[in-house]
Amino acid sequence: MKKRKIGTALSLVLAAGTLLGACGKSDDTGKEPAKGGEKKNDFSVAMVTDVGGVDDKSFNQSAWEGLQKFGKDNGLSKGKGGYDYLQSKSDADYSTNLNTLARQDFDLVYGIGFLMQAAVEEIAKQQKDSNFAIIDAEVKQPNVASVLFKEQEAAFLAGIAAALQTKSNHIGFIGGMEIPVIERFESGFLAGVKAAKPEVKVDVQYAGAFDKAELGQNIASKMYSSGADVVFHAAGGTGNGLFKEATDRKAKDPSKEIWAIGVDRDQADMGPDVVLTSALKRVDVAVQDLSKKAMDGNFPGGQQILYGLAEDGVGVAPINSKAGNKDAIEAAIKEWVEKIKSGAVKVPGTRDELKNFSAK
């Protein structure tokens, strides 16, 4: 199988029409790109999940949804030679799974998540003729593209929504593991709350895992019991416990103000009566975008690609129609989006940056 050349051209324009539409440029074989339903030469792409699994309702699922859409749009079949995934049951599986896909001659192999950084670097050094991509981390190898997001910008908008919706002036944040990507979520969320309603109290707690729903539920229970009426999670599968706790409490007392905020994908399906909104991190869009670049012979190996609000790579899901402050929240979010996109407001991505943050 012919491997794609590592290109240097890099576009950060993520408009949906540009990302998902077919363009008429040739790849490095000189053949025209596929249009819907036609197979694009022998290009193939696959991904390795982290321990959250492909159906975590969050990060890994979003990546797989993007890969499936890319495959179907380009006439690829699921499986070897088309598009596929391998699921990791423990961190010990990361290197093995990446190596397996590379040996199966997939043209591009994704490692999904910060936790796979070391494994991607290890296998990329061994499999120099294969191209890899890492989501949420940077690997400085010529055959690896590093995909990062400005999660803090999406979280900031979620913080605005939470602050304007809370009746108790008490909010919660549940993080997965204390790693840079989750710190960006935390910092952006706290900045958004501060910008909209400085007097609001925010409880912050980390679960130490991305695959422990029962732990997420336990943390959420304590937060709601202590007076929080809105809780935001950036905890992958652990966050599924937040939705269960919120849904259970709402079922017992429908008149009670109980809200949860999802992450990565629109998680409204996790609790239509309790999900206020979700901080969107368009991993699906990034996967489609990068896969198309690779298919067209423009794989940005050795480079970092950053997706933020300005690139339509992050955002927030629609506000729940049952939220009492829906119109006010939507108006405020629209205003802040423009400020962030224009550069008038720089959202903090670390706790140190948060200390000096001013929305004025």
Side-chain angles (χ1 to χ4, degrees):
M1 177 175 290
K2 184 176 180 179
K3 294 295 176 186
R4 300 296 186 252
K5 297 177 182 178
I6 297 175
T8 58
L10 178 62
S11 170
L12 290 181
V13 179
L14 293 182
T18 303
L19 284 176
L20 304 180
C23 60
K25 69 187 289 187
S26 299
D27 70 357
D28 59 344
T29 67
K31 297 180 181 179
E32 290 300 310
K35 295 181 181 178
E38 299 175 16
K39 185 168 183 179
K40 167 70 176 184
N41 303 318
D42 58 355
F43 184 80
S44 58
V45 57
M47 59 175 260
V48 176
T49 76
D50 68 10
V51 294
V54 76
D55 57 351
D56 63 353
K57 311 298 182 185
S58 185
F59 188 79
N60 289 288
Q61 182 170 326
S62 179
W64 177 234
E65 287 171 353
L67 205 61
Q68 289 179 96
K69 186 169 189 347
F70 171 80
K72 292 172 183 176
D73 285 350
N74 290 282
L76 305 180
S77 299
K78 183 181 181 303
K80 188 175 179 181
Y83 64 96
D84 209 350
Y85 74 91
L86 288 179
Q87 190 156 292
S88 302
K89 295 181 180 179
S90 74
D91 55 7
D93 294 332
Y94 296 160
S95 294
T96 300
N97 286 341
L98 289 166
N99 196 41
T100 296
L101 294 175
R103 288 180 177 278
Q104 289 178 356
D105 279 339
F106 280 94
D107 291 284
L108 176 59
V109 178
Y110 287 90
I112 307 301
F114 178 89
L115 299 177
M116 298 187 65
Q117 182 179 29
V120 169
E121 182 152 15
E122 174 194 355
I123 302 304
K125 288 178 179 178
Q126 295 175 11
Q127 301 285 355
K128 295 183 179 180
D129 290 333
S130 297
N131 288 337
F132 298 87
I134 177 76
I135 304 291
D136 274 354
E138 184 174 12
V139 172
K140 296 181 179 179
Q141 294 296 324
N143 58 336
V144 180
S146 301
V147 179
L148 299 173
F149 296 82
K150 294 182 180 179
E151 293 91 353
Q152 65 268 33
E153 294 181 350
F156 182 92
L157 302 180
I160 295 291
L164 295 180
Q165 183 60 34
T166 181
K167 299 296 191 296
S168 65
N169 283 347
H170 190 169
I171 290 170
F173 171 83
I174 301 174
M177 298 179 71
E178 293 197 57
I179 55 178
V181 58
I182 306 303
E183 184 179 352
R184 291 195 289 272
F185 273 117
E186 176 195 338
S187 300
F189 183 67
L190 294 177
V193 172
K194 179 180 178 181
K197 208 171 180 183
E199 66 271 23
V200 171
K201 173 186 176 183
V202 184
D203 292 333
V204 175
Q205 187 170 343
Y206 279 78
F210 290 109
D211 59 346
K212 304 294 183 186
E214 67 282 2
L215 185 53
Q217 183 172 1
N218 182 261
I219 294 172
S221 177
K222 292 178 180 177
M223 287 182 172
Y224 287 131
S225 294
S226 68
D229 56 357
V230 184
V231 178
F232 169 47
H233 91 90
T238 297
N240 293 343
L242 162 64
F243 300 118
K244 186 176 189 311
E245 182 64 24
T247 300
D248 288 351
R249 285 177 176 254
K250 190 70 172 178
K252 291 178 181 177
D253 185 357
S255 66
K256 196 171 184 63
E257 280 286 329
I258 292 289
W259 294 103
I261 296 178
V263 76
D264 295 335
R265 58 183 283 274
D266 185 350
Q267 295 191 303
D269 58 340
M270 298 298 288
D273 293 329
V274 298
V275 177
L276 179 63
T277 184
S278 299
L280 300 179
K281 177 173 170 177
R282 299 304 306 273
V283 182
D284 58 336
V285 169
V287 165
Q288 293 171 68
D289 182 45
L290 184 57
S291 297
K292 188 173 190 307
K293 285 182 172 68
M295 184 177 70
D296 290 341
N298 298 317
F299 177 69
Q303 300 183 45
Q304 182 186 109
I305 312 174
L306 186 61
Y307 297 87
L309 268 178
E311 297 80 27
D312 294 330
V314 301
V316 287
I319 303 301
N320 195 311
S321 60
K322 298 176 182 178
N325 292 335
K326 180 178 183 294
D327 292 342
I329 293 172
E330 289 177 340
I333 286 175
K334 182 177 180 181
E335 179 182 340
W336 284 105
V337 165
E338 293 307 313
K339 289 180 180 179
I340 296 170
K341 283 186 174 182
S342 70
V345 171
K346 184 179 184 301
V347 180
T350 67
R351 294 178 186 125
D352 285 341
E353 290 176 355
L354 178 62
K355 292 176 184 177
N356 301 315
F357 173 73
S358 174
K360 297 180 180 179

